[in-house]
Amino acid sequence: MNLFVEILTSFTKKHHSKDDKANYIFYKIVDSDVTHENFVLQCINTKAIFRSKISEIVFDTDILYGLHPIQACYIGIEYSKYLKSLNTTQLDKNQVKAKLNKYSVHRYGSYILTFQNRTGEVGFVNHVTNDDFLMDPRDIALSEELIAEFDAAQAFYIGLLAGLKLNNPVKQLEIDKKYQKPHLVVVK
């Protein structure tokens, strides 16, 4: 009886591998007007295009989840610029936080976001090899090979974090003068 059930389920069940991005990417950005925050998106394998504002892309998870991870990261960077340009009276921060909390899904890709530390670095794990990594979101966003291995929703979040830190200087380790190594001289 078990053999019969397995044969039946093999006909009805679709087999998708976790790394097959083609099953999840439905849209691509073909043009943008950054000054007005408008984007032109095209449905993959069709000639159908539509225009959308950045806030519509971000809060419509079907569109955002349907982008390639590199383009989702770009949308995250552009959305952080958009957030910085808004007045605090126009922006209800509680609503934005509630809407942005739903971007923690993992459907495909080799890397999974796990945490963010107090300095803003992002921790992620390679689910194939179980290697842990800790990097600045700006470094992840600048590496096309690395960001392409994340889910689109997580790539958007990395882009958002990178965009928020974009104009902040990288923290340099400064050694206090009293803790510097003394200058040694050889005495004969």
Side-chain angles (χ1 to χ4, degrees):
M1 189 69 168
N2 272 342
L3 180 64
F4 181 69
V5 172
E6 288 180 25
I7 291 171
L8 266 175
T9 57
S10 68
F11 287 123
T12 60
K13 189 170 37 171
K14 292 182 182 178
H15 296 287
H16 296 295
S17 68
K18 205 84 159 124
D19 294 330
D20 195 8
K21 293 180 191 175
N23 295 326
Y24 299 102
I25 299 173
F26 303 115
Y27 308 106
K28 66 180 176 180
I29 299 170
V30 293
D31 194 17
S32 66
D33 180 15
V34 181
T35 58
H36 296 100
E37 293 94 17
N38 290 321
F39 293 90
V40 178
L41 290 99
Q42 179 181 6
C43 298
I44 298 290
N45 298 329
T46 66
K47 293 182 181 179
I49 62 168
F50 59 96
R51 299 180 195 287
S52 186
K53 293 188 177 203
I54 191 160
S55 58
E56 294 169 353
I57 294 172
V58 169
F59 293 124
D60 187 354
T61 57
D62 293 331
I63 295 174
L64 187 63
Y65 288 1
L67 289 173
H68 190 276
I70 295 173
Q71 290 189 338
C73 181
Y74 171 73
I75 291 293
I77 293 171
E78 290 300 318
Y79 188 66
S80 69
K81 293 177 186 176
Y82 174 75
L83 286 178
K84 288 179 183 178
S85 69
L86 286 179
N87 294 335
T88 55
T89 58
Q90 293 175 325
L91 183 66
D92 184 11
K93 293 183 180 181
N94 291 332
Q95 277 185 333
V96 171
K97 282 183 182 179
K99 289 180 180 179
L100 289 180
N101 282 338
K102 59 187 169 190
Y103 297 119
S104 63
V105 299
H106 173 72
R107 301 167 298 156
Y108 60 87
S110 299
Y111 298 119
I112 303 170
L113 286 177
T114 54
F115 66 93
Q116 179 183 8
N117 65 12
R118 290 181 182 187
T119 60
E121 293 176 323
V122 176
F124 57 98
V125 65
N126 184 334
H127 75 85
V128 176
T129 62
N130 289 330
D131 292 334
D132 293 329
F133 301 96
L134 182 66
M135 293 180 70
D136 191 282
R138 294 173 284 195
D139 295 334
I140 300 171
L142 291 176
S143 172
E144 285 185 22
E145 295 84 20
L146 194 58
I147 198 69
E149 292 301 319
F150 282 94
D151 185 83
Q154 293 182 350
F156 165 76
Y157 190 69
I158 291 169
L160 180 67
L161 293 175
L164 292 173
K165 291 180 72 172
L166 204 56
N167 292 330
N168 297 346
V170 177
K171 185 178 178 183
Q172 298 288 332
L173 293 176
E174 295 181 18
I175 301 173
D176 198 30
K177 295 215 183 255
K178 65 181 181 180
Y179 294 113
Q180 286 184 349
K181 295 179 183 176
H183 182 69
L184 299 176
V185 179
V186 176
V187 180
K188 292 184 181 182

